[in-house]
Amino acid sequence: ETGVTQSPTHLIKTRGQQVTLRCSSQSGHNTVSWYQQALGQGPQFIFQYYREEENGRGNFPPRFSGLQFPNYSSELNVNALELDDSALYLCASSSGGVNNEQFFGPGTRLTVL
Amino acid sequence: KNQVEQSPQSLIILEGKNCTLQCNYTVSPFSNLRWYKQDTGRGPVSLTIMTFSENTKSNGRYTATLDADTKQSSLHITASQLSDSASYICVVSADTDKLIFGTGTRLQVFP
């Protein structure tokens, strides 16, 4: 176990709806990164939060947004869901820095119908 | 374009045998290279992390090598076990801690 938790574990939504996914980082970590992993693919970087500020973003549209709280837990919000948003959403926490290890949570499986 | 390519896409071996997985990358500038093990539907778990100056690192039965000149890495698994069945993902970091993932090699170990 990495100490990183995510909720919910599974979620089913319909097109056009909005979803919020949650991540609790490992104790002592101030950085949370979010990834989208489609079936059979490697994870794709969505964005990263460091000390409550967005610290880099991948190639995802603005309807993917996030938030980090003072306790360093984080949320990923997706508006106007599309079928292609169906994926495993992973969060990873770290203490920041280029060579620091990122610890992944178990993921949230989102299905959009 | 920063890319990480892995081969083979999938691999089947018998329990007790050794295997080697390959990773080529074009990420620049290079900071570090990591190998992760991912069970189906679960988050990746780190096996090794190597910086530019390291050319080999072991973690139990897993040994990773890195050739920064040719931008290649390999992961060698010794005396495979049924529990080694998983996807193995090569991940490269540029000058930040944002990770670029390969698509993985799916390993199946049969008794």
Side-chain angles (χ1 to χ4, degrees), chain B residues 13-40:
Chain B
I13 62 174
L14 294 176
E15 187 179 13
K17 298 296 186 182
N18 304 335
C19 66
T20 300
L21 315 180
Q22 302 291 341
C23 173
N24 297 327
Y25 62 93
T26 59
V27 178
S28 182
F30 173 86
S31 177
N32 60 66
L33 185 145
R34 313 165 188 226
W35 282 93
Y36 282 89
K37 177 185 178 184
Q38 185 177 24
D39 293 314
T40 302

Side-chain angles (χ1 to χ4, degrees), chain A residues 49-71:
Chain A
Y49 279 85
Y50 170 69
R51 292 180 182 268
E52 303 179 59
E53 298 286 333
E54 187 176 290
N55 182 40
R57 188 180 182 93
N59 189 27
F60 280 81
R63 59 189 185 84
F64 285 78
S65 63
L67 198 58
Q68 188 177 32
F69 300 98
N71 66 355

Side-chain angles (χ1 to χ4, degrees), chain A residues 35 45 48 55 57 96-100 102, chain B residues 1-4 25-34 36 49-52 66 71 90-102:
Chain A
Y35 298 87
F45 174 70
Q48 181 184 83
N55 182 40
R57 188 180 182 93
V98 174
N99 295 322
N100 283 342
Q102 292 196 13
Chain B
K1 183 181 177 182
N2 288 332
Q3 282 189 315
V4 178
Y25 62 93
T26 59
V27 178
S28 182
F30 173 86
S31 177
N32 60 66
L33 185 145
R34 313 165 188 226
Y36 282 89
I49 176 171
M50 290 181 291
T51 59
F52 184 88
L66 172 63
K71 298 188 177 182
C90 175
V91 186
V92 181
S93 175
D95 59 353
T96 66
D97 59 357
K98 291 140 188 96
L99 308 179
I100 300 165
F101 288 73

Side-chain angles (χ1 to χ4, degrees), chain A residues 2-16:
Chain A
T2 63
V4 179
T5 61
Q6 292 186 243
S7 63
T9 54
H10 295 86
L11 199 54
I12 299 175
K13 291 285 189 178
T14 56
R15 274 185 305 175

Side-chain angles (χ1 to χ4, degrees), chain B residues 1-88:
Chain B
K1 183 181 177 182
N2 288 332
Q3 282 189 315
V4 178
E5 297 182 345
Q6 294 186 241
S7 62
Q9 276 190 316
S10 61
L11 185 61
I12 297 174
I13 62 174
L14 294 176
E15 187 179 13
K17 298 296 186 182
N18 304 335
C19 66
T20 300
L21 315 180
Q22 302 291 341
C23 173
N24 297 327
Y25 62 93
T26 59
V27 178
S28 182
F30 173 86
S31 177
N32 60 66
L33 185 145
R34 313 165 188 226
W35 282 93
Y36 282 89
K37 177 185 178 184
Q38 185 177 24
D39 293 314
T40 302
R42 306 296 300 273
V45 175
S46 178
L47 296 175
T48 63
I49 176 171
M50 290 181 291
T51 59
F52 184 88
S53 59
E54 297 174 293
N55 55 25
T56 187
K57 183 164 280 190
S58 292
N59 178 1
R61 295 181 297 103
Y62 301 102
T63 299
T65 65
L66 172 63
D67 185 335
D69 292 330
T70 61
K71 298 188 177 182
Q72 295 180 327
S73 176
S74 66
L75 179 70
H76 186 75
I77 304 175
T78 304
S80 61
Q81 300 176 357
L82 298 179
S83 59
D84 292 333
S85 295
S87 288
Y88 291 83

